[in-house]
Amino acid sequence: LAKTTQPISMDSYEGQEVNITCSHNNIATNDYITWYQQFPSQGPRFIIQGYKTKVTNEVASLFIPADRKSSTLSLPRVSLSDTAVYYCLVGPRATDSWGKLQFGAGTQVVVTP
Amino acid sequence: GAVVSQHPSWVICKSGTSVKIECRSLDFQATTMFWYRQFPKQSLMLMATSNEGSKATYEQGVEKDKFLINHASLTLSTLTVTSAHPEDSSFYICSAREDHETSNQPQHFGDGTRLSIL
């Protein structure tokens, strides 16, 4: 499974855009990139998933360059409730190795007023 | 959609007791579910992959006789911590991925079970 590297922590103010970049140099051809958010004492919550280029949904955008060796999660106009740990995961689709994932350390994002 | 329910949300029991944790996919079918463990201030660690109708696959270092997994239906997987000891105290989280022939569905997680062994 591809190893990921992301910053340990990031601080931001309310209303700002937060961009978290994740490195995954040994990503495989069949691997997808998925981001999760986790609050204390809760299970991770799915944010967004992509394979290449750009993906956008109602809560975030995911930018993936052509070489796919990194990806950037963009959270627009964060609020205090976005304070959480964000995990970047790279793993195969469900048909390969059941699509299992290995979590890295994650990025602790702290949003202040 | 894609809701995963875990029960119980927390449990406290005496050393030597066996504890069963249930993981249900409420609105979708999941041939495969996963079990994780998370210690305070640490990341999730994958324990095992649970497949409906077959034996679970355990990650290296996870004792299969200690952590019994049963995936008897497409919506339910259970994890039983047998003869639990204080070192088994942790946050256990399950996830499930909706079966889909073409699209790559993400894993959806339950809200975890806080297990405390006295």
Side-chain angles (χ1 to χ4, degrees):
Chain A
L1 297 174
K3 181 181 177 180
T4 60
T5 302
Q6 51 184 121
I8 295 175
S9 65
M10 295 182 72
D11 295 330
S12 180
Y13 293 105
E14 278 189 296
Q16 289 187 330
E17 178 181 83
V18 172
N19 296 306
I20 309 171
T21 297
C22 177
S23 297
H24 28 81
N25 292 318
N26 58 340
I27 187 170
T29 302
N30 295 333
D31 285 343
Y32 283 75
I33 301 160
T34 312
W35 286 80
Y36 287 87
Q37 174 193 56
Q38 187 183 28
F39 298 112
S41 298
Q42 294 186 25
R45 183 176 74 94
F46 170 77
I47 301 174
I48 198 165
Q49 177 179 265
Y51 183 80
K52 61 180 179 180
T53 63
K54 177 184 174 181
V55 181
T56 298
N57 62 22
E58 61 275 9
V59 297
S61 294
L62 178 59
F63 300 91
I64 306 170
D67 65 7
R68 302 201 326 126
K69 294 184 182 299
S70 67
S71 60
T72 299
L73 173 72
S74 180
L75 305 172
R77 297 178 300 280
V78 294
S79 63
L80 297 178
S81 62
D82 292 316
T83 294
V85 177
Y86 292 82
Y87 294 99
C88 161
L89 293 104
V90 173
R93 58 184 299 127
T95 51
D96 300 328
S97 301
W98 307 291
K100 67 180 182 179
L101 301 172
Q102 298 285 0
F103 278 75
T107 297
Q108 172 68 62
V109 172
V110 177
V111 181
T112 54
Chain B
V3 177
V4 175
S5 174
Q6 232 178 293
H7 179 81
S9 56
W10 60 270
V11 59
I12 303 173
C13 58
K14 294 180 179 179
S15 184
T17 306
S18 291
V19 178
K20 179 185 284 188
I21 303 170
E22 293 186 348
C23 179
R24 294 180 184 274
S25 55
L26 295 187
D27 50 0
F28 64 96
Q29 292 185 334
T31 301
T32 302
M33 294 185 178
F34 303 89
W35 288 95
Y36 297 82
R37 181 166 54 180
Q38 186 175 32
F39 292 106
K41 303 295 184 182
Q42 294 187 22
S43 185
L44 284 77
M45 291 180 56
L46 179 65
M47 298 175 66
T49 302
S50 168
N51 291 293
E52 186 268 337
S54 63
K55 291 183 178 180
T57 301
Y58 292 81
E59 295 299 302
Q60 190 173 6
V62 178
E63 301 174 56
K64 59 182 65 178
D65 294 331
K66 174 77 171 176
F67 300 99
L68 301 180
I69 292 173
N70 183 277
H71 194 152
S73 78
L74 289 174
T75 60
L76 173 64
S77 175
T78 60
L79 169 70
T80 300
V81 183
T82 62
S83 186
H85 292 285
E87 59 266 28
D88 299 321
S89 298
S90 188
F91 192 50
Y92 293 86
I93 310 171
C94 72
S95 72
R97 170 183 271 123
E98 181 177 2
D99 293 337
H100 201 284
E101 289 186 359
T102 55
S103 68
N104 188 55
Q105 298 295 309
Q107 290 184 31
H108 293 279
F109 289 79
D111 272 338
T113 297
R114 177 73 59 190
L115 176 61
S116 296
I117 309 299
L118 304 178

